Structures are given as structure tokens and as C-alpha cells.
Amino acid sequence: MQREDLHPSGSTTFAPLQNVAFRSIWTSTQIANLGWLVQTVAISWLMATISASDLMVALVQASTTLPAFILSIVAGAIADSFSRRSVMVAGLSLIALASIVLALSAGFGFVSPWLILGLGFLAGCGFALNDPAWHASVGDILDKRDIPSAVTLMSVGYNMTRSIGPALGGAILAFLGPLAAFVFAAFSNLAPLGSVLRNKWHVRSSPLPPERIATAIHDGMRFTALSSDIRAAIIRATLFGLAAISILALLPLVARDRLAGGPIIYGILFAGFGTGACIAGLSNQYLRKLVPQEWLMAIAAIACALCCLALALTSSPVLATLALAVGGSGWVITWTGFDVWVQLASPRWVVGRTLSIYYACLSGGMAAGSWIWGTVAQSYSLAASLELAAGALFLVAALGFVLPVLLGEDGDQYGSDFRAPELALDLKPRSGPIAAKTVYSIAEEDLEIFLGHMRTRRYAVSRAGARDWTLQRDLRQPSVWTETFRTPTWMDFLRLNHRLSPADHEISQLLSSLHKGDSLPQTDLAIERTTDALRTRSRPIARVSRP
């Protein structure tokens, strides 16, 4: 069954702020968020005034989300293989650079729709680098029990600024012009960069050298594909992002066309969305205790659907603002739930990659959704686009009961302290392929239990990097079962065993307890050899006992 205690009793919503590094980066990030929202209001409204195309207005959102779809997976692999803090510095530097160039361009009077989209894409590249590394670093900075509270705080912080940022952006835009908004954003985006440079935190180091980026990406995608919980969360998040982005992508058109308003009205509408999100974020822990998680996620998606319908039907700024508050509540509850699911389902060795794949997919969904709903609005009508998006959100709400996320008991997110066995050969890290074979003798009455443990074993070692896993039964001695798998290199074999968690090793112990031999099951390790005449050196087999 789905776990409901995503906020353990030992952790409160504000507990992560007691950590100096988290508090500093979180606070400076809110300053940058405020500036980014002010800039977003100015850019969206500027695009609506200098371009007659509804599609170009909607693409403002797509320009910042598309890079995450393209770059996040690579950024996640880099963050898991190298310093997450350094990746954050690189990403924040790109965001600051894009804001500074935009301010300078506006100051010199050189602003065009394609320049706006191009700089939005550059900033999006910065977000693609920074966001997975920052979210993955939360588990390095804080205890695991504080991760759900930290994720909630990050969402609440952003939506607190969302509740005032758009209104502030609308006021600055109306009274001081877009240049002032861009300058404000350029300075605010320097705050988190300085905070990350000032703070350092301990990261548990691996005894093994960093993986090659291509291998790291492959292992991350393999782990994600084999993890049913993460896979379900990503599919649902992608579809939700595709449908729900209609609210933000079409909001400038709602303010301009349906409400006949200016930048002040647009800012107020945005503030209503942020206020609802902030209230829901602060109530998130309480709501999760009252309502089962899947029901809460379904209600949140329905809230966003009702928001779309209200925006399509009303011409009242007051009703539109109230509808956006409901939509903002559903928005933050849904994204917080998906983020926590992915974090808790991912061990530390791969969390940067699973988060990056999650962000890549949801960003791709948002970018596609911005284009789809903008195209529908331009080809048919704004109301038709919002109504279709509402229908899609109702379907997303129902999807949770078809594709649920079933988190089990939270295990140790760190791997084991595996000791390499003594071998007769002096293997190099790239020596391989390596074949591992373990033989068990299983009584007939224990067969069903054995096969059940083996299913879990296959799942565990395959996620950790095992290839070609098989389980064979001897035809002459039916009680003899042989487990085999391969790894491409000796280093991959070592990584596999370091990645296995205590829960995975417990499965190995349960399998050993079913073995009916006089000693523990033995694992034979062999390096495969070629029949090439130039490479015919003998490569003996090393036999080791399972720990």
C-alpha cells in the first residue's frame, strides 16, 4: 500500500531551516525567484505587446522549459559523478548571465521576440544544470527524514514569492517600465550564486573513481526504467505538466483578451495563483495526514482542471483570481508529491540522474503543452484551448488509480561498504566482461519462497547494473539452481556491489538461508576471453564466498 507518512513525525516543515547551508541557499533562492517572476511578468507582457502571435506568447514558457528536456539527463549524470555544488555554480552563472544580457539589451533598445526566446533558452539551460543538482544536494545537506519537509519548503518558498512577485512585476512594469524589471532580476539572480560559493557541505565520497558520463547516463536510465515507482511518477508528472502548463502559458492572453486588462491585472492574476500555492504548501503536511496520497493528488489535478474551466468561462478579474488560487493550490500539491516520490525512491548514487530524468520529462511535457495550447488558442479560440486542457487534467486525475506509486518501506539510500574479493589475476578497472555465477541447492518445499526472493534479487542487481541475469535449474539435479549475470568490466562489478543497499544484501542472506549445502553458496567470478589468436592468454576463474 502507499505510504502516507511522507513527513515523518521527527521532522517539522521548518526543521530544514536549522541547517546553515540549506537556510542560506534556500533564502537566496527566494530572492532570485522573486526577481525571476518579476522578469517573467515583464517578458510575457512585452512579448504580448511586440508580437501579434498568440503562439509566440505561449512559447515564452516553452523557451525556459525546453532546455531542461534536452540537458537535464546529462546534468544529472555530471552531478552524480562529480561535484553537485560545482554543477550548481555553473547553472546559476548561466541564469545570471541571461538576465544581465537581457537588461543590457533592453537598456540599449535592442529587444525582439527571438532575442527574448533565445535568452529564455539560455536561462533554461542554467535551470537544467542547477535544479537537479540542488534537489539532489538536499539529501547531502540534510538528514533523510528532513527531505520531505525540505521539498515542501522549496515549493512553499517559490510560491510565496509567486504570490507577490507577479504583482510587484506588474507594478514595476506599469510605473517604471520593463528595463527596471530586468535590472532588478539581474541583481537578484546573483544572490544564490554567492550563497553557493560561500557554503560547503559534506558529501559521502565513493571509494571508486567517477563513472564516464555515457556510462552514468546509461545506468541512470536503466535504473529509472526498472523502478516501477519512479517510472509511474514520471509518466504522471509529464502528462500533468503537459495539461496544467496551459494555466501559466495562456495567462497573458486571459488578462489581455478575456479580462481586457493590462500589466496590473496580469500581476494580480499571477499573485492569486501564487497565494493559493503558498497556502497549499504550508498546509501540505496536514493535508497528507488527512487524505490518502493518491486521493490528494487526484483532487489537486481536478482543482487545476476547474481553474482552466473558470478561466475559459469568466470575464470577471475577481473570479479569475479566485480560480487561479484554486489552481495554484493544486499545482503545488501535485509537484511536491511527485518530487518527494522520486527523491524517496532513489538511492544516493543515482538520485541526481533520476531527478534529472524526471525534470527532463516534465519539462518536455510543459514545453509541448505550451506549444499545443498556444496553437489551439491561435487556431480556434482561447476558451477552447482552456476547456480542452481541463478535460486532459480530469484524465490525469483518474490516471493515478490506474498507475499508482507504491512506495515500500524506506531503506538506506546509501550503498554498502563492499570489499573486493582476492583474485589470482591483477585485473584492471576496464578488464572484462565479468561473469558471476552462484549455485544453490533448494529443497522442493522451499521452492516458492526461493523463487519469490529471486525475483527481488533480479530486480535489485539489474537496477544496480547487472546484465543478462538468468536463473537456471539443473535437469539432472532439480534441486540445483544457478544464478548468473554479467557486467561489462571489473569496475562495473565493483560498482554494482557498492550500490546494493542493506535491504538488497538481506535478500542475499535469505537466499543463503534456504541453501541446503554444508557451506554457504559460492560465487564464481570469471573474466570472459576471446578466441582471437592474438589474445589467447589463460584467464583463470576466481572463487569467492558470498559475504
Side-chain angles (χ1 to χ4, degrees):
M1 295 296 292
Q2 170 66 39
R3 285 172 56 86
E4 304 301 336
D5 56 335
L6 293 183
H7 294 266
S9 58
S11 177
T12 65
T13 301
F14 298 100
L17 295 178
Q18 297 176 8
N19 183 284
V20 175
F22 180 84
R23 182 173 67 247
S24 175
I25 299 174
W26 181 85
T27 303
S28 61
T29 299
Q30 308 324 309
I31 297 173
N33 286 341
L34 185 64
W36 178 257
L37 288 166
V38 168
Q39 178 176 295
T40 299
V41 171
I43 287 178
S44 298
W45 190 255
L46 183 61
M47 181 69 86
T49 56
I50 67 176
S51 174
S53 171
D54 291 349
L55 179 59
M56 291 296 286
V57 175
L59 286 179
V60 170
Q61 291 286 335
S63 67
T64 56
T65 55
L66 183 60
F69 176 71
I70 299 172
L71 299 176
S72 281
I73 296 177
V74 176
I78 293 173
D80 280 336
S81 301
F82 301 98
S83 168
R84 289 171 182 155
R85 179 171 171 270
S86 299
V87 177
M88 290 173 64
V89 169
L92 292 169
S93 297
L94 284 180
I95 297 171
L97 176 63
S99 294
I100 292 171
V101 172
L102 181 60
L104 291 175
S105 299
F108 287 105
F110 181 69
V111 178
S112 68
W114 287 109
L115 176 66
I116 290 175
L117 294 180
L119 292 176
F121 187 87
L122 180 63
C125 292
F127 286 118
L129 288 170
N130 176 72
D131 288 353
W134 166 224
H135 283 249
S137 295
V138 169
D140 298 327
I141 298 173
L142 301 171
D143 292 332
K144 181 183 176 182
R145 66 188 180 90
D146 289 329
I147 289 178
S149 297
V151 172
T152 299
L153 273 176
M154 292 158 72
S155 181
V156 167
Y158 178 70
N159 287 287
M160 285 176 62
T161 58
R162 191 196 291 271
S163 64
I164 60 174
L168 177 62
I172 293 175
L173 187 61
F175 296 107
L176 300 177
L179 177 59
F182 297 150
V183 170
F184 177 81
F187 279 104
S188 67
N189 280 321
L190 295 174
L193 179 60
S195 180
V196 173
L197 291 172
R198 287 194 308 271
N199 289 278
K200 295 183 178 181
W201 52 89
H202 173 73
V203 178
R204 179 173 174 176
S205 59
S206 171
L208 303 178
E211 293 180 85
R212 293 185 301 166
I213 297 303
T215 302
I217 292 173
H218 176 273
D219 288 351
M221 296 182 71
R222 179 184 179 88
F223 181 91
T224 303
L226 292 174
S227 176
S228 57
D229 289 333
I230 297 176
R231 189 171 64 246
I234 288 176
I235 293 173
R236 291 169 56 183
T238 302
L239 295 176
F240 176 80
L242 186 148
I245 194 61
S246 59
I247 299 173
L248 299 180
L250 301 177
L251 194 56
L253 303 178
V254 171
R256 186 191 69 184
D257 299 340
R258 290 205 62 81
L259 305 181
I264 295 294
I265 293 296
Y266 178 56
I268 291 173
L269 294 176
F270 227 137
F273 186 89
T275 301
C278 182
I279 294 172
L282 292 174
S283 308
N284 210 7
Q285 181 176 357
Y286 180 70
L287 291 174
R288 291 183 188 279
K289 292 179 180 179
L290 288 180
V291 183
Q293 181 63 22
E294 288 293 359
W295 280 101
L296 185 61
M297 298 288 274
I299 292 171
I302 291 172
C304 291
L306 294 176
C307 174
C308 287
L309 288 177
L311 294 178
L313 300 175
T314 187
S315 59
S316 167
V318 174
L319 292 179
T321 302
L322 293 175
L324 283 163
V326 174
S329 300
W331 178 276
V332 75
I333 289 173
T334 304
W335 288 129
T336 300
F338 286 138
D339 201 315
V340 170
W341 274 342
V342 175
Q343 290 245 18
L344 293 183
S346 304
R348 298 308 305 164
W349 67 268
V350 76
V351 65
R353 279 164 281 183
T354 56
L355 283 170
S356 69
I357 294 170
Y358 162 68
Y359 290 133
C361 292
L362 70 88
S363 297
M366 287 184 178
S370 296
W371 178 78
I372 290 171
W373 308 125
T375 300
V376 173
Q378 181 168 287
S379 302
Y380 298 95
S381 68
L382 176 60
S385 183
L386 289 167
E387 289 167 357
L388 287 174
L393 282 165
F394 282 122
L395 293 177
V396 171
L399 183 62
F401 300 98
V402 179
L403 197 64
V405 175
L406 304 172
L407 291 181
E409 291 296 323
D410 297 339
D412 188 351
Q413 288 192 313
Y414 291 97
S416 61
D417 295 325
F418 173 75
R419 292 185 179 181
E422 294 183 3
L423 304 176
L425 288 178
D426 183 18
L427 296 184
K428 305 299 181 184
R430 293 179 62 83
S431 297
I434 302 298
K437 180 176 71 172
T438 307
V439 179
Y440 299 88
S441 179
I442 305 298
E444 190 68 28
E445 61 268 21
D446 295 330
L447 188 55
E448 288 302 319
I449 299 175
F450 172 77
L451 293 176
H453 290 333
M454 268 300 174
R455 282 190 287 270
T456 305
R457 166 75 174 169
R458 177 185 182 180
Y459 177 74
V461 297
S462 296
R463 292 200 312 172
R467 314 283 180 88
D468 304 325
W469 188 96
T470 62
L471 182 63
Q472 303 163 8
R473 190 176 193 180
D474 194 297
L475 294 178
R476 295 186 176 183
Q477 301 181 62
S479 64
V480 176
W481 293 79
T482 304
E483 175 200 12
T484 64
F485 64 84
R486 290 175 172 79
T487 60
T489 67
W490 175 242
M491 182 57 65
D492 290 321
F493 178 80
L494 297 178
R495 290 190 197 282
L496 182 153
N497 284 278
H498 277 283
R499 291 168 177 173
L500 294 176
S501 68
D504 298 331
H505 284 290
E506 183 179 347
I507 292 297
S508 297
Q509 294 171 2
L510 291 173
L511 288 169
S512 296
S513 68
L514 296 174
H515 178 66
K516 298 305 181 182
D518 296 331
S519 60
L520 291 175
Q522 299 294 304
T523 298
D524 291 337
L525 298 178
I527 183 169
E528 296 180 356
R529 55 171 294 177
T530 180
T531 56
D532 191 329
L534 297 178
R535 300 175 61 190
T536 57
R537 291 187 304 168
S538 175
R539 294 176 178 176
I541 295 174
R543 170 164 289 196
V544 297
S545 297
R546 182 182 299 278

